[in-house]
């Protein structure tokens, strides 16, 4: 399943890094098809080999691809910013997981009817977390609330 990540992350392939439209599209497709960290590492190695050191937006794009692969292992297909909260769906919580979510993230909301959790975006007033730190936070939220996904618990990653 495809994972939609709609978070404020400056992640793209700049024209001055990969000048050709066709080549950029190929790189985007390769990243979109990356099912795990090893596949993302393969794309990273190819980009470094073909185009040299990566600007920050490209490195961020690789982190988005890693996060998408991670979220996929939980069955999460959408992580998006809705106002001041980050929404994760679909997520089905057991009662113990819901209690853990409330303890770790007060004022978070679980809507079982639509299998969605909403958690306030981290950061200080006027300085919300974004980019790779936001992806790392979202990864931690999934692990803290849902536990390790089967693939990670089994020793793979």
């Amino acid at each position: 399943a495809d994972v939609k990540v709609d978070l404020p992350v400056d992640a793209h392939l700049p024209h001055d890094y990969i000048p050709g439209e066709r080549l950029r599209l190929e790189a985007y497709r390769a990243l979109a098809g990356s099912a795990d960290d090893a596949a993302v590492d393969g794309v990273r190695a190819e980009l470094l080999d073909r185009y040299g050191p990566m600007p920050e937006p490209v490195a961020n794009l690789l982190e988005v691809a890693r996060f998408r692969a991670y979220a996929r292992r939980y069955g999460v297909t959408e992580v998006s910013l809705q106002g001041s909260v980050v929404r994760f769906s679909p997520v089905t919580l057991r009662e113990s997981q819901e209690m853990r979510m409330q303890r770790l993230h007060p004022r978070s909301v679980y809507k079982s009817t639509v299998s969605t959790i909403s958690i306030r975006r981290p950061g200080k007033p006027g300085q919300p977390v974004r980019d790779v730190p936001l992806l790392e936070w979202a990864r931690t939220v999934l692990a803290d609330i849902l536990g390790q996904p089967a693939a990670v618990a089994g020793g793979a990653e």
Side-chain angles (χ1 to χ4, degrees), residues 60-139:
N60 290 351
L61 186 62
L62 294 171
E63 291 307 312
V64 170
R66 286 182 204 286
F67 177 73
R68 289 168 58 133
Y70 187 78
R72 189 177 297 118
R73 290 186 287 204
Y74 286 99
V76 171
T77 59
E78 183 175 353
V79 180
S80 60
L81 184 64
Q82 305 274 314
S84 63
V85 299
V86 177
R87 251 182 70 204
F88 300 81
S89 80
V91 177
T92 302
L93 297 181
R94 296 185 310 271
E95 188 175 336
S96 61
Q97 291 171 317
E98 190 172 357
M99 289 172 51
R100 186 178 322 134
M101 179 185 75
Q102 288 299 324
R103 188 181 81 246
L104 295 171
H105 304 281
R107 299 185 347 203
S108 56
V109 176
Y110 172 55
K111 295 182 181 177
S112 60
T113 54
V114 290
S115 302
T116 301
I117 60 175
S118 299
I119 301 177
R120 184 164 301 283
R121 177 181 177 186
K124 298 175 184 173
Q127 296 177 334
V129 172
R130 56 171 293 129
D131 297 316
V132 173
L134 183 59
L135 293 172
E136 291 168 352
W137 172 84
R139 180 187 285 252

Side-chain angles (χ1 to χ4, degrees), residues 2 8 13 16 18 20 38 47 49-50 70-71 76 85 89-90 99-100 132 136 141 143-144 151:
D2 192 31
L13 298 171
D16 59 347
I18 302 178
L47 290 174
D49 183 53
R50 292 174 95 181
Y70 187 78
V76 171
V85 299
S89 80
M99 289 172 51
R100 186 178 322 134
V132 173
E136 291 168 352
V141 164
D144 286 350

